[in-house]
Amino acid sequence: KQWYQRRVRGNYIYHIKHTWIVVCPTVEAMVRNIRLPSLRQGFFTLFVFNLSYYIWILICFSVGGSWPYPFLHMMSFAMVLVFGCFVYCSFACIFFLTHTFQVRFGKLISTKAE
């Protein structure tokens, strides 16, 4: 039973939690007209969330002595910080593309409920 939980179920749960949380809102923005914040406010909100989450990860590491994500064990501390910047830039790019798409095509895909 432990093998199943670690190898099979665990991998799918991590995949669902960390991949689909990005895919679903992005796809929704492509098929529905949604209201997004301005670019400045959106980038700032993403930065605050990313910084808060990375501070939490650092607290978990300093208190527990191990990283919450297994792949962080293989990186130096500097690379962990670089990875955090990469994650922020990735989400910022997704937000920028989604915002640009909504500005250009949002009126064309408005739903009946709106």
Side-chain angles (χ1 to χ4, degrees):
K1 185 175 180 175
Q2 289 178 348
W3 176 85
Y4 170 76
Q5 289 175 340
R6 282 184 291 152
R7 295 285 184 181
V8 179
R9 196 181 83 193
N11 290 340
Y12 285 110
I13 289 174
Y14 288 133
H15 176 66
I16 290 169
K17 287 192 317 187
H18 293 95
T19 304
W20 288 103
I21 196 69
V22 174
V23 173
C24 290
T26 304
V27 169
E28 180 185 16
M30 299 300 173
V31 298
R32 292 190 67 216
N33 186 15
I34 60 174
R35 196 178 304 220
L36 294 171
S38 67
L39 286 175
R40 184 177 182 181
Q41 184 181 7
F43 288 139
F44 178 75
T45 303
L46 280 172
F47 177 75
V48 169
F49 174 77
N50 194 41
L51 183 64
S52 302
Y53 191 70
Y54 250 71
I55 289 172
W56 178 248
I57 288 174
L58 291 173
I59 290 171
C60 290
F61 174 71
S62 65
V63 171
S66 64
W67 293 104
Y69 298 106
F71 64 88
L72 295 176
H73 292 281
M74 297 181 278
M75 298 181 185
S76 66
F77 186 73
M79 286 306 297
V80 170
L81 295 178
V82 169
F83 178 74
C85 292
F86 171 76
V87 169
Y88 169 73
C89 290
S90 298
F91 281 120
C93 286
I94 291 170
F95 174 72
F96 177 74
L97 293 173
T98 304
H99 190 277
T100 303
F101 185 86
Q102 282 293 312
V103 166
R104 290 181 185 246
F105 303 110
K107 302 276 190 253
L108 299 175
I109 56 175
S110 62
T111 61
K112 292 181 181 181
E114 295 176 320

